[in-house]
Amino acid sequence: QKEVEQDPGPLSVPEGAIVSLNCTYSNSAFQYFMWYRQYSRKGPELLMYTYSSGNKEDGRFTAQVDKSSKYISLFIRDSQPSDSATYLCAMSATPAGANSKLTFGKGITLSVRP
Amino acid sequence: NAGVTQTPKFQVLKTGQSMTLQCAQDMNHEYMSWYRQDPGMGLRLIHYSVGAGITDQGEVPNGYNVSRSTTEDFPLRLLSAAPSQTSVYFCASSPWTGNNEQFFGPGTRLTVL
């Protein structure tokens, strides 16, 4: 079993839909959870960052972490065509510093239809 | 700030050739890393460095060498290119403090024939 599993997709939704993207993980040491967004032919960029369990909201985006279930989610409200991208979850057991290696999910490609 | 820069953007090699992918950052980040991204495989860590003179292997290091002589530069060398190394390569950097945000370069698309 891979350390991080992500729904394979692709996912296509109409504009305005609520999107739910999910990852599960097996390493209970993970405490730092991130979502990266990657537009076509570009490098990934950090979208959301959370520490331990709980929710974090930033505009139309909400990141949710459930450590007891080893499950994280990213919700996108009122999805826009500009949200069309690949979304990768990433996790780490340590904060920034010498051992801040990230383990990534495989990514899911989202397409928002106008 | 230019952020993380990578050269070249595209490269085609023949099997057995060697080459160096360049990566530079101007943010004074201590941590730098190389990933490869393949369809259905996500981002896989090749090598990383926690500072000048210090490097270590990631998940898929075979066939690649790195060195870190300065804080700014972290080149990736392919010793004898193989078709299995056809991929998109991303360099990333991260500061020592703060969250774990890694800043990625634009990538190098490599094809090995």
Side-chain angles (χ1 to χ4, degrees), chain A residues 45-93:
Chain A
E45 56 182 357
L46 185 67
L47 183 62
M48 296 287 283
Y49 172 88
T50 53
Y51 167 67
S52 195
S53 286
N55 292 359
K56 183 174 183 179
E57 188 173 318
D58 184 0
R60 296 184 295 108
F61 298 89
T62 299
Q64 195 172 75
V65 174
D66 182 349
K67 288 189 68 181
S68 62
S69 302
K70 298 190 179 69
Y71 190 90
I72 72 169
S73 300
L74 178 71
F75 298 97
I76 307 174
R77 290 184 300 281
D78 186 26
S79 55
Q80 302 295 309
S82 59
D83 295 327
S84 297
T86 296
Y87 291 80
L88 303 105
C89 60
M91 308 176 189
S92 175

Side-chain angles (χ1 to χ4, degrees), chain B residues 4-20:
Chain B
V4 179
T5 58
Q6 291 183 239
T7 56
K9 285 186 168 53
F10 302 93
Q11 184 69 50
V12 179
L13 292 178
K14 294 181 179 177
T15 297
Q17 287 184 314
S18 62
M19 80 159 295
T20 299

Side-chain angles (χ1 to χ4, degrees), chain B residues 43-94:
Chain B
L43 282 164
R44 293 183 292 170
L45 183 65
I46 304 171
H47 285 285
Y48 67 98
S49 169
V50 299
I54 306 169
T55 63
D56 206 347
Q57 296 180 348
E59 181 185 355
V60 287
N62 291 343
Y64 308 95
N65 270 1
V66 292
S67 60
R68 183 99 178 267
S69 57
T70 67
T71 299
E72 294 78 18
D73 300 298
F74 190 42
L76 178 72
R77 296 182 189 85
L78 278 70
L79 308 172
S80 178
S84 60
Q85 294 180 303
T86 294
S87 187
V88 182
Y89 291 85
F90 289 101
C91 178
S93 73
S94 180

